[in-house]
Amino acid sequence: MATSNPSVFLLTVNGQIEGANFPEYDNLYCKYCFVYGHDWAPTSGLEEGITQITCKGQSSHKLIWNFPLETTFKSTNPFGWPQLVVSVYGPDVFGNDVVRGYGATHIPFTSGQHKRTIPMFVPEPTWRLQKFTSWLLGRRPEYTDPKVVAQGEGREVTRVHSQGFVTISFHILTKDMKKLGYDTGASSPVNTHSATSDWSTEEQPSNT
């Protein structure tokens, strides 16, 4: 009996937003969302979410969230491979919630366990008067849509200031990429979690 050829491949993303390191700030929370190309579509899980507020421990300067990620995508080609965008917020001296950092990372291409440390940044006012007004009113510059962080258009004209890091752990599974003609390379020797026969350990895809 002939087997039917798949029309899409699947990418399953599991993991955690583990925590962050912002030496100058405390009592922070994190928002996340996925950004992906036109040929991609989510099939299960959440595309965006928000963590709880956390504060630094007495023995550590790290902020711990351990917030779960669980999403599955389908696509017909790897172009527009999903990115994870994170935005961290916390109170200023006036008690207003303001952004403390934006950052983004591509979802790992290789199946298995991965960890990413994302450097964070915030937009800076262009003029000194804007900077003073932002401080006086308790309103610092923010992006209208955080998804712009994952896009290159217009980013080069934005002045930014680096501050803080966010740590993400991923467990990635892919399915049917080889059947659709994408050369995924050899299995990763670092991967200690073997997948089932359908869910293979696949390297970064390239169209053959």
Side-chain angles (χ1 to χ4, degrees), residues 62-84:
K62 293 183 178 181
L63 298 149
I64 305 298
W65 289 306
N66 289 332
F67 191 83
L69 300 171
E70 186 174 353
T71 307
T72 297
F73 297 94
K74 67 178 180 179
S75 182
T76 55
N77 75 80
F79 184 77
W81 193 272
Q83 297 183 63
L84 177 67

Side-chain angles (χ1 to χ4, degrees), residues 29-48:
Y29 63 92
C30 181
K31 295 181 180 180
Y32 78 89
C33 63
F34 291 97
V35 177
Y36 44 86
H38 295 295
D39 295 323
W40 291 77
T43 62
S44 65
L46 298 176
E47 290 186 68
E48 58 185 24

Side-chain angles (χ1 to χ4, degrees), residues 113-180:
Q113 301 284 352
H114 305 268
K115 183 169 287 190
R116 296 287 186 268
T117 299
I118 306 174
M120 306 293 285
F121 65 89
V122 289
E124 282 290 303
T126 306
W127 304 324
R128 290 185 178 179
L129 179 59
Q130 287 178 325
K131 184 177 293 186
F132 175 74
T133 304
S134 297
W135 176 85
L136 186 64
L137 299 178
R139 298 176 182 174
R140 67 166 305 119
E142 295 185 17
Y143 292 121
T144 304
D145 185 358
K147 293 183 179 181
V148 71
V149 176
Q151 303 166 358
E153 298 179 2
R155 283 281 311 279
E156 68 278 359
V157 299
T158 305
R159 176 183 290 181
V160 299
H161 170 69
S162 298
Q163 60 182 29
F165 298 88
V166 170
T167 302
I168 312 288
S169 62
F170 291 105
H171 184 197
I172 304 300
L173 295 172
T174 58
K175 180 182 179 183
D176 289 336
M177 293 192 69
K178 290 183 179 179
K179 293 181 180 180
L180 285 177

Side-chain angles (χ1 to χ4, degrees), residues 68-119:
L69 300 171
E70 186 174 353
T71 307
T72 297
F73 297 94
K74 67 178 180 179
S75 182
T76 55
N77 75 80
F79 184 77
W81 193 272
Q83 297 183 63
L84 177 67
V85 175
V86 291
S87 311
V88 175
Y89 296 84
D92 63 7
V93 294
F94 302 104
N96 301 314
D97 275 3
V98 295
V99 65
R100 294 307 186 190
Y102 295 103
T105 184
H106 275 92
I107 302 304
F109 298 101
T110 308
S111 293
Q113 301 284 352
H114 305 268
K115 183 169 287 190
R116 296 287 186 268
T117 299
I118 306 174

